[in-house]
């Protein structure tokens, strides 16, 4: 990169392993700096009731406002954060920022936060979550933690213990990206999830693929029989929304409703006063 190589270095060959490693180390150093500094931000994506369209809450999704690369999506840095262990301070930053923000909303909407497998391996995760809830003043019932299946298969007994302790505080738990991992029905039944989020790879094909429609119906049936509510992720069209409403899917999230956006864009929905500016973002006015 220009920053480390000088502005006029032209490379005509493919990066070697050493160069790839150096680039990775640069990114890791920048990410460490981003977590300590002020470069991470949260965007929020609404979750609505499929039947009534009522707003129920938001999923908080992290972005990196890189000084030279611009807004970096999570898929470009979460894997590195996981490998390097930076996911622990990053995850804690996200949780604290989301709880602090949600605690200020006039409407008692829910906020959903994604947890990485590494965070879940911390035996004291429930205490860390509780400390952040106490510090920020957010009611535990307003926090939902989203976890993926890989999280559970590593160590089932331990995962179950952690989940139960979190639920005992009143925090709810959603299984994210359902259908893309290795969960068996037995896993689903053994774990006290409140919610199943159907992965958007199925939702996105319900109108065109009878196979996708069959899978979505099956997950809805599972949710019903296990007493878990079901959220469809990645709803992009009216036809998909009509299908979900007809099948009595509880909740929907997707670009049809809104892309993830800075919270200022939802000032009216969260019950913020006119001219609302989110904390820590003094330079951002309401759009
Ligand atoms: P996810 O938790 O499954 O989040 C949903 C992703 O789908 C988001 O991508 C969202 O922007 C995208 N999405 C929502 N609706 C639609 C739609 O209608 N169409 C399409 N094509 N996409 C839609 P995003 O924000 O890029 O996040 C990607 C993934 O990064 C997340 O998937 C989550 O696994 C991870 N992630 C994001 N924030 C965090 C975080 O704070 N901590 C951790 N550990 N992971 C995070
Ligand atoms: Mg998620
Ligand atoms: Mg998902
Ligand atoms: Mg995902």
């Amino acid at each position: 990169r220009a920053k480390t190589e000088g502005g006029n270095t032209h490379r005509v060959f493919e990066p070697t392993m050493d160069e790839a490693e150096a680039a990775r180390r640069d990114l890791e150093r920048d990410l460490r700096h981003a977590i300590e500094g002020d470069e991470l931000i949260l965007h929020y994506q609404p979750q609505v009731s499929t039947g009534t369209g009522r707003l129920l809450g938001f999923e908080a999704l992290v972005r990196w406002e890189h000084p030279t690369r611009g807004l970096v999506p999570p898929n470009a840095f979460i894997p590195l954060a996981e490998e390097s262990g930076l996911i622990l301070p990053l995850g804690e930053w996200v949780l604290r920022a989301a709880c602090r923000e949600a605690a200020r909303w006039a409407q008692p909407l829910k906020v959903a936060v994604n947890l990485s497998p590494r965070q879940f391996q911390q035996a004291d995760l429930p205490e860390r979550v509780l400390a952040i809830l106490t510090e920020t003043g957010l009611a535990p019932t307003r926090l939902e933690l989203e976890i993926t299946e890989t999280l559970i298969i590593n160590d089932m007994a331990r995962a179950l213990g952690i989940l139960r302790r979190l639920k005992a505080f009143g925090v709810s738990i959603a299984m994210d990206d359902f259908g893309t991992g290795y969960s068996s029905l037995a896993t689903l039944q053994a774990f006290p999830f409140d919610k199943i989020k159907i992965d958007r790879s199925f939702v996105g094909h319900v109108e065109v693929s009878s196979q996708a429609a069959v899978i979505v119906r099956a997950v809805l049936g599972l949710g019903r029989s296990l007493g878990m509510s079901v959220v469809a992720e990645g709803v992009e069209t009216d036809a998909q929304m009509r299908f979900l409403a007809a099948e009595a899917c509880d909740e929907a999230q997707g670009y049809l409703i809104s892309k993830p956006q800075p919270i200022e864009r939802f000032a009216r929905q969260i019950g913020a006063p006119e001219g609302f500016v989110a904390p820590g973002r003094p330079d951002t006015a309401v759009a």
Side-chain angles (χ1 to χ4, degrees), residues 137-258:
L138 185 73
T141 50
R142 291 183 52 202
L143 177 64
E144 184 156 82
L145 298 175
E146 297 193 359
I147 67 177
T148 54
E149 296 162 84
T150 42
L151 232 154
I152 282 172
I153 51 179
N154 291 337
D155 187 343
M156 297 255 284
R158 190 155 109 157
L160 190 56
I162 291 177
L163 277 190
R164 286 200 174 125
R165 277 150 66 212
L166 285 165
K167 286 205 56 163
F169 302 150
V171 170
S172 59
I173 313 285
M175 156 112 302
D176 205 354
D177 303 342
F178 187 73
T180 58
Y182 302 96
S183 268
S184 63
L185 301 186
T187 322
L188 203 55
Q189 196 173 22
F191 284 85
F193 298 115
D194 298 282
K195 219 181 236 188
I196 305 170
K197 300 189 76 176
I198 311 179
D199 192 72
R200 70 179 151 88
S201 56
F202 306 110
V203 176
H205 293 107
V206 286
E207 322 112 279
V208 291
S209 151
S210 55
Q211 217 179 335
V214 163
I215 291 170
V216 170
R217 282 195 193 97
V219 178
L220 288 166
L222 267 176
R224 236 164 263 139
S225 50
L226 295 171
M228 298 172 188
S229 66
V230 179
V231 185
E233 294 195 87
V235 181
E236 292 185 347
T237 68
D238 283 317
Q240 288 161 8
M241 195 66 161
R242 278 195 302 274
F243 173 92
L244 295 164
E247 297 293 333
C249 178
D250 305 278
E251 297 178 28
Q253 180 179 348
Y255 292 173
L256 178 69
I257 299 135
S258 170

